[in-house]
Amino acid sequence: MKKLIYEIKEESKKLVEKTDQELQELSAILKKKAEHTDKRIVKWFALVQEISSRTIGLKHFDTQLLGGLLLHQGKIIEMKTGEGKTLVSTLPVSLNALTGKGVHVVTVNEYLAERDHKWMGKVYSKLGLTTGLIKSQSSLNEKQKSYNSDITYVTNSELVFDYLRDSSAYNLKEMVQRPFNFCLIDEIDSVLIDEARTPLILSTNAEAKPETKNKLYLAKAIANLLKRDAHFQLDEKRKDIHLTENGYKELKKRLGKKTLYDPEDPWILDILNALKAKYLFKINKDYIILKNKIVIVDEFTGRIMEDRRWSMGLHESVEIKEKVDIGSSTKTKSSITYQNFFTLYPTLSGMSGTAKTTEKEFKDIYNLEVIVLPTVKPLIRIDLPDYIYQTELAKWKNVLLQSKTCFEKGQPILIGTSTIEKSEFLAEFFKFAKIPYKILNAKPENVTRESEIIAQAGERYAVTIATNMAGRGTDIILGGNPKFRIKQKLREFLLDNTTNIQYSSQMQSDNIEYSAQIWREYSLAMLINDLDNLPYSLDKCKSSLKNLYKNFAKNVYAKWEEENKLVKELGGLFVLGTERHETRRIDNQLQGRAGRQGDPGVSQFFVSLEDDLIKVFGGDNIRKWVEYLIPDKDAPIESNLLTKSLENAQKKVELYNYDLRKNIFQYDDILNVQRKQLFKIRKELLRENIYEQLFLRFSEYAVDDFFAKSLLISNSNVYVIEKEFDNYITYDKNIFLTQERTSKIFLQEKEKINVYKELWISNDLRQAKSNFYQLGFLKSTRAIILLSILDFYWTEHIERMGYIRETISWRSYGQQNPLVEYNTEAFKSFKLMFEQIRSCMLYYFIKNPINYS
């Protein structure tokens, strides 16, 4: 690697003296070369480095060149926050785009996708590469254009849903993606680890029936009568509920049922969902209420997921609990996990600030190696030992005191909470103490100001409360973010006519002149668009706006340099975690916000023995021990034993979650083989005219199947089989042969060839007749019907496997391996699905009115 980096730097020196035109010509030459990308790597990386320096003012450091080389090899790199992961991505992304097969850059949210598309898109444009951006509201044409670009920026969920939609399309023109090539995932641990437990489901809506709603209300009422431990037990680790024997008897008595598992009227799922909704799913933690709807909160990113619903009736039970409108029930049309989806790429790589703690899972599941890159400047952040308090109230009191101390001296503080509920609780504390603060959580009014809140979290006297800091995409710069401040002041000056920046008389005069010129050259909509896209729009906007920006920049940067120095002297950003998260990576992400690019910083966690993590993993024993030794409940405890207990609890949770994800991967992998086969058949039906061959193949199979059955029975039963087949072929007397000949021919296996001859001749005659009618619309209608048949039975299969998955674990009590049993059941169900598809398609071919004419 060192040798390659040296060669890249030497090559880069040769390019410094070249003009922009010469660099573009070199780019065109390298793009046209037919040699493997590895042979172009030195010259291309050097070119990207030089063009990046000229275009966006950023030149890759040695560690960033190293990161680019490793990403090209299909590895995961861990880089600390602020070390320039986005810039690193330009190297492997642009190199692999030279193949013309397309590159996908995956981000965790649309803000990051749009930001990187605008920012790094400047570099790609100068290299002669096209870029596209996929957003949830993008039209079909926009998506097709973006996916056909050399480089496509897209969120992980939108990418997978587009794949599932393509796999359910009824027309080639509805498909947006092309075959996969190279994929780079930003915040790869968030996508492939945190979200791996939740399969992505493409579903169809079905309006809830009145009787179903009544059943849900009744289930809630009965669940409210049940008592914890007596009638059911909570499993907080697994977020699950189990009925006791007494609970099961009580429910049967209340409902007047012999069993809760009656196939005609099952109650078990509705009751368990009602209990989960009441005891396990909390408002402002697992979900919020928005516009009279239940909206899920992502526990790892702290963001809301408006387009998601919990499956198996759970979402409806939560809606009943909160007395909001009940949404449409859903039926799974198609689904896939991130684990199986991203293995479809020939080359996969990723970046993160916290991937090392899960390197074993990356290796086991995805066969990806994790490599930690050194920081450009030494990390000087001070990580203080945890303060542990006996009660939650004592913890919050001390969080307030620490925040007040930081605020009074002007040191910026970032306070991380685990839930919306706790962030709101802390905000009330700060209001009472008259400490000004900004809050960032999943509530929409705060989400819209996300970039503003994070951008200025490094200012003096800034107090920021955040539910989660993963994948925010905005650096916390000490003294505040100057680029964001310039943009803000420009908006105030041009749109609100209010800004408090002091200028010299000459500069003030220039600003007034530029402003007048801007309003002559711009419409309001154009101006707002350019202001929103600053600083990315500087190379395209009018010179008047560019000049005004430069004037504002001089003042803002001069002020920022003073502020930056003052905040560094105060100790930099203080990061305060109010709870240890289930996984160490989330804690590391929060800590990583301080000490960016060699800046000073401090981090510390305030923990209580009443926190969920400690309660679930042996908190009672620890609490008794601490209460006995330390009577003062408000005093913080610094103990290696307690710290080690916390670490062990986190490791247990991580191990448990890893086992869960591995289990999900193993089960979904069985369906994945079937999914690939079905999607391949769908594409074949869409792309090729195989209807005639399909009908002939199915007809021949029907004959084979009949002969196989007839050989297994005695002569006394032949009449029954003949009668069966006669009924079968009455769909069309000419499909196989004339009915009067069936009895004679089918009695002897040796005459089977005669049946085939009759079949082939009648098929040719039938096809000749039908071709007269099979034009334009009628052909497309035939394709839609056949694909609908395929999709209908695939949906039935998925639903069937979902129910089997829910109950298969019970077979372990019979000394059977649930995974092996699931595999067996999946094969049986898949075989049944294809038999149903074949029969239904054959029936359609025979009964199609056009074919029958």
Side-chain angles (χ1 to χ4, degrees), residues 301-504:
T301 64
R303 289 185 170 82
I304 58 172
M305 301 186 289
E306 291 192 65
D307 57 342
R308 305 272 186 98
R309 288 179 67 86
W310 287 303
S311 59
M312 305 293 286
L314 178 59
H315 205 97
E316 289 86 338
S317 293
V318 175
E319 288 169 332
I320 293 286
K321 168 194 167 184
E322 296 294 348
K323 299 175 183 176
V324 300
D325 294 339
I326 300 175
S328 303
S329 58
T330 58
K331 192 170 185 179
T332 302
K333 192 175 180 182
S334 192
S335 71
I336 195 170
T337 60
Y338 284 123
Q339 295 161 317
N340 273 310
F341 172 78
F342 282 105
T343 54
L344 297 173
Y345 285 90
T347 307
L348 179 68
S349 62
M351 311 178 292
S352 173
T354 51
K356 192 68 177 174
T357 53
T358 47
E359 63 177 332
K360 184 180 184 300
E361 185 166 350
F362 280 123
K363 191 67 182 171
D364 291 350
I365 303 293
Y366 305 101
N367 196 28
L368 291 171
E369 188 180 347
V370 178
I371 296 177
V372 181
L373 298 189
T375 55
V376 176
K377 295 178 182 177
L379 183 67
I380 59 171
R381 183 185 69 229
I382 300 167
D383 295 327
L384 298 172
D386 292 1
Y387 272 172
I388 302 169
Y389 298 89
Q390 291 186 46
T391 65
E392 199 166 12
L393 184 59
K395 176 182 76 173
W396 291 120
K397 282 181 186 175
N398 284 279
V399 167
L400 183 65
L401 285 173
Q402 180 62 59
S403 303
K404 196 171 183 180
T405 303
C406 288
F407 174 71
E408 285 173 351
K409 70 176 183 178
Q411 183 179 14
I413 182 168
L414 174 68
I415 305 156
T417 63
S418 58
T419 66
I420 302 168
E421 187 178 32
K422 286 175 182 174
S423 69
E424 299 281 351
F425 170 77
L426 190 57
E428 291 298 320
F429 247 43
F430 284 178
K431 276 183 192 173
F432 180 76
K434 295 181 180 176
I435 298 174
Y437 65 89
K438 288 180 180 175
I439 186 168
L440 177 61
N441 57 32
K443 291 201 169 177
E445 62 268 24
N446 299 320
V447 170
T448 53
R449 296 173 56 238
E450 177 178 319
S451 57
E452 174 195 343
I453 294 168
I454 296 300
Q456 304 310 342
E459 288 183 326
R460 273 193 306 155
Y461 301 103
V463 178
T464 310
I465 306 167
T467 48
N468 196 293
M469 289 305 300
R472 292 294 176 187
T474 306
D475 284 342
I476 298 178
I477 299 171
L478 299 185
N481 189 317
K483 288 180 181 176
F484 191 89
R485 180 64 70 200
I486 296 165
K487 184 174 174 177
Q488 186 182 41
K489 295 297 178 188
L490 270 174
R491 286 186 72 93
E492 289 173 1
F493 181 74
L494 289 168
L495 302 178
D496 305 332
N497 203 25
T498 58
T499 182
N500 56 5
I501 296 182
Q502 299 297 315
Y503 300 96
S504 64

Side-chain angles (χ1 to χ4, degrees), residues 477-681:
I477 299 171
L478 299 185
N481 189 317
K483 288 180 181 176
F484 191 89
R485 180 64 70 200
I486 296 165
K487 184 174 174 177
Q488 186 182 41
K489 295 297 178 188
L490 270 174
R491 286 186 72 93
E492 289 173 1
F493 181 74
L494 289 168
L495 302 178
D496 305 332
N497 203 25
T498 58
T499 182
N500 56 5
I501 296 182
Q502 299 297 315
Y503 300 96
S504 64
S505 57
Q506 179 58 49
M507 195 173 283
Q508 186 71 25
S509 174
D510 289 344
N511 287 347
I512 292 168
E513 187 181 329
Y514 292 143
S515 177
Q517 191 178 344
I518 285 167
W519 285 113
R520 284 197 300 270
E521 295 174 344
Y522 276 96
S523 67
L524 179 61
M526 284 172 59
L527 180 59
I528 290 172
N529 182 61
D530 273 1
L531 286 173
D532 286 345
N533 288 320
L534 285 172
Y536 313 120
S537 58
L538 274 177
D539 57 339
K540 294 178 182 176
C541 69
K542 310 279 186 186
S543 59
S544 52
L545 182 58
K546 196 178 295 184
N547 290 331
L548 188 63
Y549 183 93
K550 287 176 182 176
N551 269 4
F552 273 69
K554 286 174 188 175
N555 284 68
V556 170
Y557 271 98
K559 180 72 174 170
W560 170 76
E561 284 173 2
E562 293 174 19
E563 286 294 311
N564 181 262
K565 187 179 177 183
L566 284 170
V567 175
K568 282 181 178 178
E569 288 170 0
L570 291 168
L573 180 68
F574 192 112
V575 170
L576 194 160
T578 60
E579 194 171 332
R580 282 287 181 181
H581 201 273
E582 283 188 350
T583 59
R584 288 167 293 170
R585 285 184 304 102
I586 308 298
D587 294 340
N588 294 342
Q589 284 167 355
L590 181 63
Q591 280 182 315
R593 295 293 161 174
R596 172 189 170 275
Q597 292 188 1
D599 286 340
V602 183
S603 78
Q604 190 170 28
F605 282 85
F606 284 28
V607 182
S608 89
L609 298 179
E610 293 177 347
D611 288 348
D612 291 342
L613 184 67
I614 299 179
K615 272 198 296 187
V616 172
F617 290 90
D620 290 337
N621 294 331
I622 296 171
R623 193 181 300 109
K624 287 174 186 174
W625 176 74
V626 171
E627 284 173 358
Y628 176 74
L629 291 176
I630 304 165
D632 184 1
K633 292 192 175 183
D634 288 345
I637 308 158
E638 285 186 61
S639 163
N640 288 333
L641 177 62
L642 288 176
T643 303
K644 195 165 278 186
S645 296
L646 274 172
E647 286 177 5
N648 287 336
Q650 284 181 309
K651 286 176 182 175
K652 282 180 184 175
V653 176
E654 286 170 3
L655 187 62
Y656 170 71
N657 286 336
Y658 168 58
D659 287 339
L660 270 183
R661 289 189 291 266
K662 190 174 181 181
N663 189 256
I664 288 167
F665 174 71
Q666 288 172 330
Y667 279 93
D668 191 61
D669 201 39
I670 292 167
L671 283 182
N672 196 44
V673 176
Q674 300 175 351
R675 189 185 296 115
K676 285 178 182 176
Q677 192 174 344
L678 185 96
F679 289 176
K680 184 182 176 184
I681 292 166

Side-chain angles (χ1 to χ4, degrees), residues 164-172 174-175 333 682 686 787 791:
L164 292 176
R165 281 188 281 263
D166 274 6
S167 302
S168 306
Y170 290 117
N171 193 309
L172 285 173
E174 294 173 11
M175 298 176 74
K333 192 175 180 182
R682 271 191 119 268
L686 270 174
L787 290 170
D791 290 346

Side-chain angles (χ1 to χ4, degrees), residues 233-362:
Q233 293 176 335
L234 286 184
D235 187 342
E236 292 187 40
K237 288 182 192 177
R238 294 173 173 79
K239 217 167 185 179
D240 204 358
I241 285 180
H242 305 287
L243 292 176
T244 63
E245 191 174 346
N246 287 335
Y248 186 73
K249 288 177 180 175
E250 179 70 15
L251 282 169
K252 285 199 297 180
K253 180 182 169 185
R254 295 271 181 187
L255 291 165
K257 299 283 181 183
K258 290 183 180 180
T259 176
L260 302 182
Y261 296 91
D262 182 359
E264 301 299 321
D265 187 24
W267 276 89
I268 186 67
L269 191 60
D270 299 301
I271 296 292
L272 289 176
N273 281 338
L275 289 168
K276 285 177 185 177
K278 182 177 181 180
Y279 292 99
L280 293 176
F281 287 80
K282 308 290 184 186
I283 190 169
N284 289 337
K285 180 184 177 184
D286 301 295
Y287 62 90
I288 63 170
I289 298 175
L290 177 64
K291 298 175 185 175
N292 205 35
K293 289 181 180 178
I294 298 296
V295 182
I296 300 171
V297 174
D298 189 324
E299 63 176 307
F300 298 104
T301 64
R303 289 185 170 82
I304 58 172
M305 301 186 289
E306 291 192 65
D307 57 342
R308 305 272 186 98
R309 288 179 67 86
W310 287 303
S311 59
M312 305 293 286
L314 178 59
H315 205 97
E316 289 86 338
S317 293
V318 175
E319 288 169 332
I320 293 286
K321 168 194 167 184
E322 296 294 348
K323 299 175 183 176
V324 300
D325 294 339
I326 300 175
S328 303
S329 58
T330 58
K331 192 170 185 179
T332 302
K333 192 175 180 182
S334 192
S335 71
I336 195 170
T337 60
Y338 284 123
Q339 295 161 317
N340 273 310
F341 172 78
F342 282 105
T343 54
L344 297 173
Y345 285 90
T347 307
L348 179 68
S349 62
M351 311 178 292
S352 173
T354 51
K356 192 68 177 174
T357 53
T358 47
E359 63 177 332
K360 184 180 184 300
E361 185 166 350
F362 280 123

